[in-house]
Amino acid sequence: MRRAQHNGVAVVALCDHDCFDGLPEAEEAGRRFGVAVLPGIEISTHSGDAQIHLLGYGCDPWVEPLRQELSRMRVSRAMRVDDMLTKLDALGMHLTESEVFEQAGSATTIGRPHIADALVAKGCVADRDEAFAKYLYNGGPAYVERETLELGHAIDLVHEAHGVAVLAHPWIRGAADAMTPEAVSRLVHEHGLDGIEVDHPDHGQETRRMLFDLGGRLGLIRTGSSDYHGTGKTGHDIGCETSRPSALHEIAARITARGGSLGTVEPILNRI
């Protein structure tokens, strides 16, 4: 939140992977630094064989169906870490679970970024990017598939938790083959998909133009995000990409209509 304030960002949506960790702490820090926090989550999903990330803005973390699915996914992630460490060991890089957990800190959801950071800390690679490029990328020598939710079902769960469902960076890492305009249209008509992320550091200008036009045709909220993951992920600093105020207002209106949470955003909406 201090970094967001320094970079001139008025509102931050905290959307960690498959968990609601950190929201109370973020809201408290936001109050100290004058940054409003919109609660959210980034859910790991699949459409066919493609991995798709779904943002859920304003979800109630206590709604049971979503809580149960997230709990099941966390158990699957823990087993996956063991399998990836076994693969790394066979490649000559000997990490222990405790070394990975040390990088994760208080996080309850452990994933590839924590393994990458453990590899950096041990001197096996120079940075997180190298860890992913050499070993942890999808299909890489240390990669292990993880359990994910079917995308349409995840959208339904977000709505059941009173939130707004937005496709995150839908045309990166091969996801464009699955998230065709026809597929996105089906998600809108069959599951009520709310929005699509257009402005993202990994989207080129032509991709942004096409996604913006697609979102307009389908009546989707068109958002932006820096996809900030801390200092381990380069080129994604807070505020390098943002959503337009009109998108935030539409997200807030839908959250309110569904009985979701605006966190500390509501008091400042009239000033944005």
Side-chain angles (χ1 to χ4, degrees):
M1 295 306 112
R2 180 172 60 244
R3 191 173 188 85
Q5 189 272 341
H6 178 268
N7 290 1
V9 179
V11 178
V12 169
L14 180 62
C15 302
D16 205 347
H17 286 268
D18 303 321
C19 70
F20 291 101
D21 291 358
L23 287 172
E25 295 88 344
E27 290 184 1
E28 177 57 32
R31 291 186 185 97
R32 294 203 308 272
F33 294 105
V35 177
V37 177
L38 179 68
I41 190 169
E42 186 168 1
I43 304 174
S44 303
T45 80
H46 65 267
S47 179
D49 294 331
Q51 295 184 11
I52 309 295
H53 290 175
L54 181 73
L55 297 164
Y57 293 120
C59 291
D60 181 344
W62 300 105
V63 171
E64 199 57 33
L66 180 57
R67 279 177 61 84
Q68 289 177 353
E69 291 285 15
L70 294 176
S71 177
R72 183 173 59 82
M73 291 171 70
R74 281 196 294 273
V75 171
S76 172
R77 273 180 177 260
M79 297 172 61
R80 181 192 188 211
V81 168
D82 290 340
D83 292 340
M84 285 192 286
L85 293 184
T86 299
K87 287 193 170 188
L88 285 169
D89 192 69
L91 294 168
M93 284 162 287
H94 311 296
L95 291 181
T96 65
E97 281 191 353
S98 61
E99 288 172 322
V100 175
F101 292 149
E102 182 179 348
Q103 296 300 319
S106 61
T108 61
T109 302
I110 312 299
R112 284 183 292 172
H114 304 119
I115 295 176
D117 290 344
L119 288 171
V120 174
K122 203 156 189 175
C124 298
V125 294
D127 53 34
R128 189 186 288 182
D129 289 344
E130 184 182 351
F132 272 83
K134 286 186 174 180
Y135 308 111
L136 300 174
Y137 62 89
N138 291 2
Y143 177 76
V144 175
E145 286 283 354
R146 70 180 183 273
E147 186 169 350
T148 58
L149 299 180
E150 192 279 321
L151 178 54
H153 178 49
I155 294 171
D156 296 340
L157 288 172
V158 167
H159 290 159
E160 193 171 355
H162 320 304
V164 169
V166 175
L167 285 177
H169 44 67
W171 284 1
I172 70 171
R173 293 193 292 270
D177 292 339
M179 291 294 94
T180 63
E182 294 76 19
V184 176
S185 179
R186 284 195 299 272
L187 292 171
V188 173
H189 292 104
E190 296 176 10
H191 298 279
L193 176 70
D194 296 287
I196 190 167
E197 196 171 74
V198 173
D199 294 315
H200 183 276
D202 295 337
H203 283 164
Q205 290 304 314
E206 181 63 12
T207 292
R208 297 177 192 226
R209 183 191 65 77
M210 294 172 68
L211 286 172
F212 188 87
D213 291 346
L214 174 62
R217 293 197 304 272
L218 296 177
L220 292 168
I221 304 171
R222 292 164 287 189
T223 69
S225 170
S226 59
D227 201 8
Y228 178 69
H229 277 54
T231 57
K233 186 173 183 177
T234 59
H236 292 256
D237 199 9
I238 290 179
C240 68
E241 302 286 356
T242 60
S243 292
R244 300 181 316 283
S246 58
L248 175 61
H249 279 277
E250 180 59 26
I251 289 171
R254 295 194 190 193
I255 292 172
T256 300
R258 293 171 183 159
S261 173
L262 292 179
T264 57
V265 169
E266 186 171 13
I268 73 164
L269 282 174
N270 290 334
R271 304 201 305 269
I272 298 178

mmCIF file of all heavy atoms in Angstrom, residues 148-168:
data_model
loop_
_atom_site.group_PDB
_atom_site.id
_atom_site.type_symbol
_atom_site.label_atom_id
_atom_site.label_comp_id
_atom_site.label_asym_id
_atom_site.label_seq_id
_atom_site.Cartn_x
_atom_site.Cartn_y
_atom_site.Cartn_z
ATOM 1 N N THR A 148 -7.474 -27.358 -10.841
ATOM 2 C CA THR A 148 -8.121 -26.073 -11.072
ATOM 3 C C THR A 148 -9.625 -26.280 -11.227
ATOM 4 O O THR A 148 -10.103 -27.406 -11.378
ATOM 5 C CB THR A 148 -7.568 -25.397 -12.342
ATOM 6 O OG1 THR A 148 -7.775 -26.266 -13.468
ATOM 7 C CG2 THR A 148 -6.074 -25.106 -12.206
ATOM 8 N N LEU A 149 -10.362 -25.175 -11.211
ATOM 9 C CA LEU A 149 -11.810 -25.231 -11.389
ATOM 10 C C LEU A 149 -12.164 -25.028 -12.853
ATOM 11 O O LEU A 149 -11.476 -24.303 -13.574
ATOM 12 C CB LEU A 149 -12.487 -24.145 -10.555
ATOM 13 C CG LEU A 149 -12.303 -24.196 -9.039
ATOM 14 C CD1 LEU A 149 -13.055 -23.040 -8.389
ATOM 15 C CD2 LEU A 149 -12.774 -25.521 -8.482
ATOM 16 N N GLU A 150 -13.234 -25.644 -13.284
ATOM 17 C CA GLU A 150 -13.759 -25.379 -14.620
ATOM 18 C C GLU A 150 -14.198 -23.922 -14.658
ATOM 19 O O GLU A 150 -14.841 -23.426 -13.729
ATOM 20 C CB GLU A 150 -14.905 -26.329 -14.928
ATOM 21 C CG GLU A 150 -15.348 -26.341 -16.377
ATOM 22 C CD GLU A 150 -16.281 -25.184 -16.708
ATOM 23 O OE1 GLU A 150 -17.127 -24.849 -15.853
ATOM 24 O OE2 GLU A 150 -16.147 -24.608 -17.808
ATOM 25 N N LEU A 151 -13.860 -23.214 -15.730
ATOM 26 C CA LEU A 151 -14.037 -21.768 -15.780
ATOM 27 C C LEU A 151 -15.482 -21.339 -15.556
ATOM 28 O O LEU A 151 -15.754 -20.427 -14.766
ATOM 29 C CB LEU A 151 -13.519 -21.235 -17.121
ATOM 30 C CG LEU A 151 -13.676 -19.738 -17.374
ATOM 31 C CD1 LEU A 151 -13.061 -18.904 -16.262
ATOM 32 C CD2 LEU A 151 -13.046 -19.371 -18.726
ATOM 33 N N GLY A 152 -16.423 -21.957 -16.255
ATOM 34 C CA GLY A 152 -17.822 -21.578 -16.088
ATOM 35 C C GLY A 152 -18.289 -21.767 -14.654
ATOM 36 O O GLY A 152 -19.017 -20.922 -14.098
ATOM 37 N N HIS A 153 -17.879 -22.871 -14.038
ATOM 38 C CA HIS A 153 -18.240 -23.138 -12.638
ATOM 39 C C HIS A 153 -17.639 -22.070 -11.725
ATOM 40 O O HIS A 153 -18.304 -21.615 -10.767
ATOM 41 C CB HIS A 153 -17.741 -24.529 -12.250
ATOM 42 C CG HIS A 153 -17.993 -24.907 -10.825
ATOM 43 N ND1 HIS A 153 -19.226 -24.762 -10.217
ATOM 44 C CD2 HIS A 153 -17.160 -25.428 -9.868
ATOM 45 C CE1 HIS A 153 -19.150 -25.173 -8.958
ATOM 46 N NE2 HIS A 153 -17.914 -25.572 -8.729
ATOM 47 N N ALA A 154 -16.403 -21.657 -11.995
ATOM 48 C CA ALA A 154 -15.762 -20.633 -11.173
ATOM 49 C C ALA A 154 -16.515 -19.304 -11.275
ATOM 50 O O ALA A 154 -16.667 -18.590 -10.269
ATOM 51 C CB ALA A 154 -14.311 -20.453 -11.593
ATOM 52 N N ILE A 155 -16.958 -18.950 -12.471
ATOM 53 C CA ILE A 155 -17.753 -17.719 -12.630
ATOM 54 C C ILE A 155 -19.017 -17.798 -11.774
ATOM 55 O O ILE A 155 -19.387 -16.847 -11.077
ATOM 56 C CB ILE A 155 -18.110 -17.490 -14.108
ATOM 57 C CG1 ILE A 155 -16.839 -17.201 -14.920
ATOM 58 C CG2 ILE A 155 -19.106 -16.335 -14.259
ATOM 59 C CD1 ILE A 155 -17.070 -17.167 -16.421
ATOM 60 N N ASP A 156 -19.678 -18.954 -11.816
ATOM 61 C CA ASP A 156 -20.896 -19.137 -11.009
ATOM 62 C C ASP A 156 -20.590 -18.997 -9.522
ATOM 63 O O ASP A 156 -21.381 -18.411 -8.762
ATOM 64 C CB ASP A 156 -21.517 -20.505 -11.290
ATOM 65 C CG ASP A 156 -22.007 -20.662 -12.722
ATOM 66 O OD1 ASP A 156 -22.216 -19.617 -13.398
ATOM 67 O OD2 ASP A 156 -22.175 -21.806 -13.170
ATOM 68 N N LEU A 157 -19.456 -19.543 -9.078
ATOM 69 C CA LEU A 157 -19.081 -19.449 -7.666
ATOM 70 C C LEU A 157 -18.812 -18.001 -7.256
ATOM 71 O O LEU A 157 -19.184 -17.584 -6.148
ATOM 72 C CB LEU A 157 -17.839 -20.300 -7.392
ATOM 73 C CG LEU A 157 -18.028 -21.818 -7.399
ATOM 74 C CD1 LEU A 157 -16.670 -22.515 -7.312
ATOM 75 C CD2 LEU A 157 -18.926 -22.267 -6.257
ATOM 76 N N VAL A 158 -18.157 -17.231 -8.124
ATOM 77 C CA VAL A 158 -17.924 -15.812 -7.835
ATOM 78 C C VAL A 158 -19.248 -15.079 -7.666
ATOM 79 O O VAL A 158 -19.430 -14.294 -6.724
ATOM 80 C CB VAL A 158 -17.077 -15.159 -8.953
ATOM 81 C CG1 VAL A 158 -17.099 -13.632 -8.835
ATOM 82 C CG2 VAL A 158 -15.649 -15.676 -8.907
ATOM 83 N N HIS A 159 -20.186 -15.349 -8.570
ATOM 84 C CA HIS A 159 -21.495 -14.701 -8.463
ATOM 85 C C HIS A 159 -22.226 -15.135 -7.200
ATOM 86 O O HIS A 159 -22.883 -14.315 -6.531
ATOM 87 C CB HIS A 159 -22.335 -15.025 -9.702
ATOM 88 C CG HIS A 159 -21.849 -14.359 -10.936
ATOM 89 N ND1 HIS A 159 -22.151 -14.802 -12.212
ATOM 90 C CD2 HIS A 159 -21.046 -13.269 -11.114
ATOM 91 C CE1 HIS A 159 -21.582 -14.020 -13.100
ATOM 92 N NE2 HIS A 159 -20.907 -13.083 -12.461
ATOM 93 N N GLU A 160 -22.120 -16.423 -6.855
ATOM 94 C CA GLU A 160 -22.765 -16.921 -5.643
ATOM 95 C C GLU A 160 -22.182 -16.259 -4.398
ATOM 96 O O GLU A 160 -22.868 -16.106 -3.382
ATOM 97 C CB GLU A 160 -22.614 -18.438 -5.560
ATOM 98 C CG GLU A 160 -23.501 -19.088 -4.520
ATOM 99 C CD GLU A 160 -23.502 -20.599 -4.609
ATOM 100 O OE1 GLU A 160 -22.884 -21.141 -5.549
ATOM 101 O OE2 GLU A 160 -24.124 -21.240 -3.739
ATOM 102 N N ALA A 161 -20.913 -15.863 -4.488
ATOM 103 C CA ALA A 161 -20.255 -15.156 -3.387
ATOM 104 C C ALA A 161 -20.425 -13.650 -3.500
ATOM 105 O O ALA A 161 -19.701 -12.883 -2.854
ATOM 106 C CB ALA A 161 -18.772 -15.511 -3.346
ATOM 107 N N HIS A 162 -21.371 -13.206 -4.345
ATOM 108 C CA HIS A 162 -21.761 -11.796 -4.486
ATOM 109 C C HIS A 162 -20.717 -10.942 -5.179
ATOM 110 O O HIS A 162 -20.718 -9.711 -5.047
ATOM 111 C CB HIS A 162 -22.095 -11.173 -3.119
ATOM 112 C CG HIS A 162 -22.855 -12.065 -2.193
ATOM 113 N ND1 HIS A 162 -24.062 -12.629 -2.546
ATOM 114 C CD2 HIS A 162 -22.569 -12.514 -0.939
ATOM 115 C CE1 HIS A 162 -24.504 -13.384 -1.543
ATOM 116 N NE2 HIS A 162 -23.606 -13.343 -0.568
ATOM 117 N N GLY A 163 -19.818 -11.585 -5.950
ATOM 118 C CA GLY A 163 -18.751 -10.840 -6.584
ATOM 119 C C GLY A 163 -18.940 -10.619 -8.070
ATOM 120 O O GLY A 163 -19.946 -11.034 -8.667
ATOM 121 N N VAL A 164 -17.967 -9.966 -8.672
ATOM 122 C CA VAL A 164 -17.942 -9.642 -10.100
ATOM 123 C C VAL A 164 -16.820 -10.443 -10.748
ATOM 124 O O VAL A 164 -15.668 -10.395 -10.297
ATOM 125 C CB VAL A 164 -17.712 -8.125 -10.299
ATOM 126 C CG1 VAL A 164 -17.415 -7.805 -11.751
ATOM 127 C CG2 VAL A 164 -18.937 -7.349 -9.835
ATOM 128 N N ALA A 165 -17.141 -11.175 -11.809
ATOM 129 C CA ALA A 165 -16.201 -12.100 -12.448
ATOM 130 C C ALA A 165 -15.588 -11.464 -13.698
ATOM 131 O O ALA A 165 -16.305 -11.091 -14.634
ATOM 132 C CB ALA A 165 -16.902 -13.399 -12.820
ATOM 133 N N VAL A 166 -14.251 -11.371 -13.715
ATOM 134 C CA VAL A 166 -13.520 -10.739 -14.819
ATOM 135 C C VAL A 166 -12.404 -11.679 -15.271
ATOM 136 O O VAL A 166 -11.617 -12.157 -14.454
ATOM 137 C CB VAL A 166 -12.915 -9.378 -14.384
ATOM 138 C CG1 VAL A 166 -12.067 -8.786 -15.501
ATOM 139 C CG2 VAL A 166 -14.019 -8.418 -13.970
ATOM 140 N N LEU A 167 -12.317 -11.930 -16.576
ATOM 141 C CA LEU A 167 -11.218 -12.734 -17.112
ATOM 142 C C LEU A 167 -9.914 -11.959 -16.981
ATOM 143 O O LEU A 167 -9.807 -10.827 -17.446
ATOM 144 C CB LEU A 167 -11.455 -13.055 -18.587
ATOM 145 C CG LEU A 167 -12.503 -14.109 -18.942
ATOM 146 C CD1 LEU A 167 -12.623 -14.217 -20.457
ATOM 147 C CD2 LEU A 167 -12.151 -15.456 -18.336
ATOM 148 N N ALA A 168 -8.915 -12.578 -16.351
ATOM 149 C CA ALA A 168 -7.610 -11.935 -16.202
ATOM 150 C C ALA A 168 -6.722 -12.254 -17.402
ATOM 151 O O ALA A 168 -6.738 -13.374 -17.903
ATOM 152 C CB ALA A 168 -6.931 -12.421 -14.924
#
